Amino acid sequence: GIAYLKGQGDDIETDWDVAWRGDLRYTMNDGLFFEIRGFYHEADLDELFDDDDFDFNGSGDFETWYLDFLIGDNIHNGANFCVDFSAGLRYFNSEGDVRGKKRSIDPQATAPPGEGFYRGRPKASYDADGIGPVFRLEGTRRLSGNLSLYFDFTQAILFGENDTDVKYPDGFKDSDSSDTLTFVTEIGGGLEYSFGAGHIRVGGEGQYWAIDGSDLGVYGGIAEIGWSF
C-alpha cells in the first residue's frame, strides 16, 4: 500500500510525504495465520525543535521503518462481519539529521551587531532502534455486494536506545546515548472493494508516537491492493 502522511508534534512538523506499507500472510484452514508486516516513511522536517540554548530552525529529514512478526487467528467470521486478532514482535529503526542556525541566548555574546545569533549551521543527528510486543485488531463489515468497510487498530510498546550527535559551528561536539520507551498507536479505516481473491482499499490512517515524553502525531490517506493465495 501507499500512504501520503504529515506529522505534527512537540516543536516539530513534517511535510506531506509518501509512506509505504506491505504485508505477507499465510492462513491455515482453521483460520490461524502467520504474517509479516512492514512500514517505511521518509519525510522532510518543516519546523524543528528548540532547546534552552539553540534553535535548529533550518532544514532536516528523517526516515522511520518497522517490521512486525505476527501470529493471529480469525475470532469471528460471519456472513457480513469478520474480525482478526494477532500479536507478535515489532522491530523499528528511526534516523534523522537536522541542519540549522545557531542563536545565542546571551545578548552580550559576540554576534554581529543587531543580529543576535552566531553565523554558522550546527548539525545534529540521531539513530534510534528498539523491539517490543505488538498487538493488532482488524476487521471488515460488508455493506453490499463486493463493498465493505474495514478497520485496523495496532498498538506497540517498544524498548530501545537512541544515539545523538551534535556539532556546533564553534567546533564543540556532543554525543549522547539513552534508553527509550516508545508507545505507538495506529488506527485506520475506509472502504474495501473485493474481487475474486483480491481487494482494493482506500481510506485514512492516524499514528500517535509517544517517545519518552515527546509526542508526534502522523495522519493522512492510504490506498492499497492485496491478494489471497
Side-chain angles (χ1 to χ4, degrees), residues 7 12 18 28 31 40 54 67-68 86 102 104 114 124 139 151 157 162 166 177 184 188 195 205 216:
I12 189 172
V18 171
M28 303 179 68
Y40 177 84
F54 306 104
L67 283 175
D68 292 342
S86 56
K102 180 181 178 183
S104 171
F151 68 89
I157 305 171
N162 183 32
V166 182
S177 180
V184 184
F195 57 94
E205 74 167 71
L216 175 66

Side-chain angles (χ1 to χ4, degrees), residues 54 102 118-122 166-174:
F54 306 104
K102 180 181 178 183
Y118 292 105
R119 294 187 183 275
R121 292 175 61 82
V166 182
K167 181 180 179 180
Y168 297 100
D170 56 10
F172 178 75
K173 297 180 181 180
D174 186 25

Side-chain angles (χ1 to χ4, degrees), residues 169-193:
D170 56 10
F172 178 75
K173 297 180 181 180
D174 186 25
S175 298
D176 184 51
S177 180
S178 60
D179 295 330
T180 59
L181 175 62
T182 303
F183 296 88
V184 184
T185 303
E186 301 169 75
I187 300 175
L191 293 174
E192 175 182 294
Y193 179 81

Side-chain angles (χ1 to χ4, degrees), residues 149-168:
L149 292 174
Y150 78 88
F151 68 89
D152 192 335
F153 174 82
T154 306
Q155 179 66 57
I157 305 171
L158 307 171
F159 305 88
E161 186 175 69
N162 183 32
D163 298 321
T164 58
D165 293 286
V166 182
K167 181 180 179 180
Y168 297 100

Side-chain angles (χ1 to χ4, degrees), residues 10-71:
D10 295 337
D11 300 316
I12 189 172
E13 183 175 346
T14 72
D15 291 337
W16 287 96
D17 278 286
V18 171
W20 301 92
R21 287 191 177 276
D23 64 85
L24 181 64
R25 176 189 291 197
Y26 173 74
T27 304
M28 303 179 68
N29 293 332
D30 61 358
L32 186 70
F33 63 86
F34 304 88
E35 185 175 12
I36 299 176
R37 301 178 68 241
F39 172 81
Y40 177 84
H41 183 42
E42 183 176 2
D44 294 326
L45 298 174
D46 188 21
E47 296 181 6
L48 308 177
F49 64 86
D50 301 333
D51 64 20
D52 292 338
D53 299 310
F54 306 104
D55 290 339
F56 287 89
N57 291 327
S59 59
D61 56 76
F62 82 100
E63 66 174 16
T64 298
W65 63 269
Y66 65 70
L67 283 175
D68 292 342
F69 302 90
L70 302 168
I71 300 176

